[in-house]
Amino acid sequence: MTTGFGDVIHLESLTKFYGETRALHDIDLTVRVGEVFGYLGPNGAGKTTTIRTLFDFIRPTSGKATVLGLDSQADAREIRRRVDYLPGDIALYDRMTGRELLKFLANLRGGVDWNYVEQLAERFQSDLNPRIRTLSRGNKQKIGLIQAFMKRPELIIMDEPTAGLDPLMQQEFYALVEEVKAEGRTIFISSHIVPEVERICDRVGIIREGELATVEDVHVLKDRALHQLEFRFAQSVPPEVFANLPGVRDVVVEGTTLNGTVVGSPDAMVKAAANYEVVGLTSRETSLEDVFLAFYDGDSPNAA
Amino acid sequence: MLRNVFFKSLQEQQRSLFWWVIGLSALNIVTILFYPSFANRPELNEIFEDLGPLAEAFMGPIEDFTSPEGFIDSQLFSFMIPLLFVAFGIFSGSGSIAGEEERGTLDLLLSNPLHRRQVILEKFGANLIAMALLGVGTWIGLVAGAVMVSMDISWLRLAEATVSSALLGTSFGALAFALGSARGKRGTAAGVSAAIGVAAFLLNTLVPLVELLEPLTRISPFHYYNSAMPLFNGLDPLHAFALVATTAVLFIVALVTFERRDLGIG
Ligand SMILES: Nc1ncnc2c1ncn2[C@@H]1O[C@H](COP(=O)(O)OP(=O)(O)OP(=O)(O)O)[C@@H](O)[C@H]1O
Ligand SMILES: [Mg+2]
């Protein structure tokens, strides 16, 4: 069932109100077979609400969601059988050990290869013996990840999967995502971390205040990404040399320090700086707000 | 033990159930050990009679407190046992769906191939079994006490009175279960059920003091629990049925309300 064509997730004018609060507004979205789809948005954007609708924990106020061609409400059980899920802020059965919990879930799901579970536990350096109550947040998250991957389902939906993971474990997670993708299976990930989405996703949907701002291939997002660069030179430099470079803006020179924002590739700016003696260089990570600015700012970020 | 939701839910209650069983059977044994000192003092009957109708309300309409049945009914089945069974029912009923939802584990549970109604069914079934086990433990305590003081009382009647208590406890457990399934709030489910339990108990015990209002007791589950005096006469099928029917209706309420609402958003 993993091969074949069609939409894995399909949202049609999905709208959700919590009382007066509008959490989702008219979301139309399609996730295709075999892709890693990133659902990117700031806190409170509606990511968790969308995901919990797919498993029929939440009923849409209007609109409709299908998963693997199945209706999210009428066929909830079949969806749960074929799709695995990592809840955001996952709560586990605290009194069980990791092994007991995974055994329990494996029993409920059927078709879990226990060797693969052990293998996953090893990759995540996850000790399955202690009671879950005694685990640190990151180590709980690892148990959550193991249960989401262990049945090798055709679709995995994960709500902020790397929350609480240290960088090494994040890498392990990215590697696992690659493997799942190589097997032709589909992954849907929510996140508010831009570099993470850039790194592992094929396509990205950006959601803000319950509305889907855009759906793009990830390289488009990369092209629009902002880099905040700060150069410290041996002597002062003429600002106009930098201000007129393609994609560069907000150039400010103070003494021998130059600050600037680059949309897309920072190549031209770095090469221009190389004509002078550089004594220091700082690059600030792109924030989600920056990405939104790039999307909504008047001057076209694609001019380059 | 981890095969399905039913066994998992039963296992979650295992430790607390163990202590409830210990507590209840100990209460029964210790209470019955006092019986010999009552049995030889028929003058106590007159003292109790002098206490008037309020005492009768709480201890049952019993002529003879010094008979085995009279003693056990007044000391255990009029107040302590039903109270504790109702408390256990509310404790386990409110912990089921609402407990899972408040702890946040409901998402994980329902990400498995299960219908919502299946979770309701298995969790409710687990609670029924837990209550049955508490009943068995209580009965064993009663029998053990009776044997220790060579009390002449029917083990079958003890069982029937215990079953009546378990049915009462189950109906309040079903109330807490239904409230928890409908709203997902453990504290509310337990609190409201306990308040209704106290009101129902007072209704059944105090209202009969005013003869005109006596028929009102028929809306209290406690009426169906003990008014037919199962320890003396055996389980009254109609009264037992009333408690089972109450439970069944509340179970359906749990099914329907849980099926319809958004989960984990409270
Ligand atoms: N139970 C609830 N009752 C009322 N409003 C809610 C509830 N849950 C979420 N909301 C609101 O719905 C909106 C979307 O919330 P949601 O949890 O889906 O955001 P999110 O994108 O997952 O955020 P985060 O990145 O913080 O996890 C928010 O405005 C939030 O305040
Ligand atoms: Mg969220």
Side-chain angles (χ1 to χ4, degrees), chain A residues 47-48 159-160:
Chain A
K47 304 182 294 294
T48 300
D159 197 351
E160 302 194 19

Side-chain angles (χ1 to χ4, degrees), chain B residues 23-43:
Chain B
L24 256 158
S25 41
L27 170 75
N28 292 340
I29 291 172
V30 169
T31 305
I32 294 174
L33 287 181
F34 280 99
Y35 173 66
S37 54
F38 268 71
N40 304 326
R41 298 175 58 195
E43 71 274 15

Side-chain angles (χ1 to χ4, degrees), chain B residues 51-66:
Chain B
L51 287 177
L54 198 62
E56 181 182 309
F58 279 89
M59 301 205 293
I62 294 148
E63 304 290 307
D64 183 5
F65 289 99
T66 58

Side-chain angles (χ1 to χ4, degrees), chain A residues 93 95-96 104 108, chain B residues 1-17 88 91-93 95-97 100 103 106 109 114 118-130 133 177:
Chain A
Y93 293 104
R95 281 194 280 176
M96 296 174 116
F104 173 54
L108 292 181
Chain B
M1 263 321 235
L2 296 172
R3 240 175 327 134
N4 53 34
V5 178
F6 171 79
F7 282 115
K8 168 76 170 62
S9 308
L10 204 51
Q11 194 215 29
E12 277 170 8
Q13 302 189 43
Q14 178 182 306
R15 197 174 309 169
S16 85
L17 179 62
F88 179 77
F91 169 79
S92 86
S96 290
I97 295 291
E100 192 109 29
R103 275 177 280 135
L106 195 59
L109 185 65
L114 298 164
Q118 196 174 341
V119 172
I120 290 280
L121 187 68
E122 294 194 35
K123 284 198 170 286
F124 196 78
N127 288 3
L128 290 183
I129 297 301
L133 292 174
F177 186 93

Side-chain angles (χ1 to χ4, degrees), chain B residues 167-244:
Chain B
L167 292 178
L168 178 75
T170 299
S171 61
F172 280 98
L175 175 64
F177 186 93
L179 290 171
S181 303
R183 304 305 300 273
K185 296 269 189 290
R186 179 175 192 158
T188 312
V192 171
S193 304
I196 293 177
V198 170
F201 177 77
L202 292 179
L203 181 72
N204 188 55
T205 47
L206 298 185
V207 161
L209 302 183
V210 185
E211 220 163 297
L212 256 177
L213 297 178
E214 212 271 344
L216 262 184
T217 59
R218 278 164 185 68
I219 63 168
S220 170
F222 284 88
H223 172 80
Y224 300 95
Y225 155 62
N226 210 15
S227 70
M229 310 191 73
L231 188 58
F232 297 84
N233 311 319
L235 204 59
D236 180 302
L238 271 179
H239 283 200
F241 176 78
L243 293 174
V244 171

Side-chain angles (χ1 to χ4, degrees), chain A residues 18 21 23 41-50 159-160 192, chain B residues 265-266:
Chain A
Y18 293 112
T21 316
N43 294 134
K47 304 182 294 294
T48 300
T49 303
T50 308
D159 197 351
E160 302 194 19
H192 50 245
Chain B
I265 64 160

Side-chain angles (χ1 to χ4, degrees), chain A residues 130-284:
Chain A
R131 300 220 171 270
I132 290 168
R133 191 205 336 247
T134 67
L135 295 180
S136 71
R137 177 163 139 73
N139 284 329
K140 283 182 194 164
Q141 184 73 2
K142 292 184 202 168
I143 307 257
L145 287 169
I146 293 171
Q147 64 82 31
F149 280 108
M150 70 182 181
K151 199 187 162 188
R152 298 174 174 271
E154 58 199 289
L155 168 63
I156 309 178
I157 296 177
M158 298 197 249
D159 197 351
E160 302 194 19
T162 56
L165 293 188
D166 67 39
L168 206 65
M169 290 303 120
Q170 285 178 16
Q171 297 306 316
E172 198 57 53
F173 169 73
Y174 299 153
L176 209 48
V177 168
E178 291 291 325
E179 291 170 29
V180 169
K181 194 183 141 177
E183 292 169 16
R185 300 189 276 136
T186 312
I187 301 190
F188 181 98
I189 289 175
S190 86
S191 177
H192 50 245
I193 306 166
V194 179
E196 170 174 299
V197 168
E198 280 181 357
R199 155 125 202 216
I200 57 177
C201 296
D202 301 309
R203 285 199 310 143
V204 179
I206 297 185
I207 181 174
R208 193 168 69 159
E209 289 171 10
E211 302 200 38
L212 199 60
T214 182
V215 180
E216 294 281 8
D217 278 6
V218 76
H219 60 79
V220 175
L221 186 72
K222 278 183 187 161
D223 288 346
R224 294 185 185 184
L226 298 186
H227 299 267
Q228 297 267 319
L229 296 178
E230 182 185 281
F231 292 95
R232 286 183 303 285
F233 295 102
Q235 64 271 78
S236 63
V237 294
E240 59 281 3
V241 173
F242 295 91
N244 297 325
L245 293 170
V248 175
R249 57 193 192 193
D250 306 335
V251 171
V252 178
V253 176
E254 272 173 30
T256 60
T257 302
L258 178 141
N259 272 290
T261 305
V262 191
V263 183
S265 168
D267 184 62
M269 189 165 183
V270 171
K271 281 187 175 145
N275 293 325
Y276 306 89
E277 191 187 317
V278 179
V279 296
L281 166 61
T282 320
S283 168
R284 194 165 60 76

